[in-house]
């Protein structure tokens, strides 16, 4: 009955991370300090490994200039990642889970009006 959602946690609009969360876990227990540490380590590793590629560096530079008007150094991003606490994760998850889910469909969509509510009911999602 756990619902997987894609949570996007944004730090001041410049840094984002995507990870799957399960609704009952995120809403009832929250993330443990160990889980937060592991997630931070994974995010930092992905950030630094991606910056080894020239193409990714250029894409990152362009995105940062568009979003913030300046280049944010990797060290600043790592400091921002390190500042995240389990309480920050709980607050972000609570905000995401408080909103109704969005169902997207492409192609043949006859019957989608019955599909959405059925999936929502099976996973405890409020439409």
């Amino acid at each position: 009955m756990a619902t997987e959602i894609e949570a996007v946690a944004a730090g001041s609009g410049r840094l984002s991370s995507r990870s799957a969360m399960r609704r009952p876990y995120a809403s009832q227990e929250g993330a443990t300090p160990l889980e937060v540490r592991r997630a931070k380590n994974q995010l930092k590793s992905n950030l630094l490994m991606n910056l080894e590629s020239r193409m990714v560096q250029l894409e990152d530079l362009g995105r940062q200039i568009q979003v913030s008007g300046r280049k944010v150094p990797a060290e600043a991003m790592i400091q921002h990642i390190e500042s995240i606490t389990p309480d920050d994760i709980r607050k972000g998850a609570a905000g995401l889970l408080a909103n109704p889910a969005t169902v997207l469909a492409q192609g043949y969509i006859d019957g989608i009006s019955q599909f959405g509510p059925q999936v929502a009911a099976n996973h405890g999602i409020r439409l």
Side-chain angles (χ1 to χ4, degrees), residues 52-111:
E52 291 177 358
S53 161
R54 285 276 185 222
M55 184 58 89
V56 174
Q57 287 179 10
L58 290 172
E59 290 172 2
D60 186 53
L61 174 63
R63 183 175 42 255
Q64 289 183 22
I65 296 297
Q66 286 180 327
V67 171
S68 64
R70 66 183 181 91
K71 169 78 170 117
V72 179
E75 295 81 16
M77 288 189 265
I78 289 174
Q79 287 176 349
H80 184 74
I81 293 168
E82 281 301 321
S83 70
I84 296 170
T85 66
D87 192 50
D88 295 331
I89 302 297
R90 184 193 57 75
K91 288 177 186 175
L96 286 170
L97 296 173
N99 296 316
T102 300
V103 177
L104 299 173
Q106 179 179 351
Y108 182 73
I109 59 169
D110 284 350

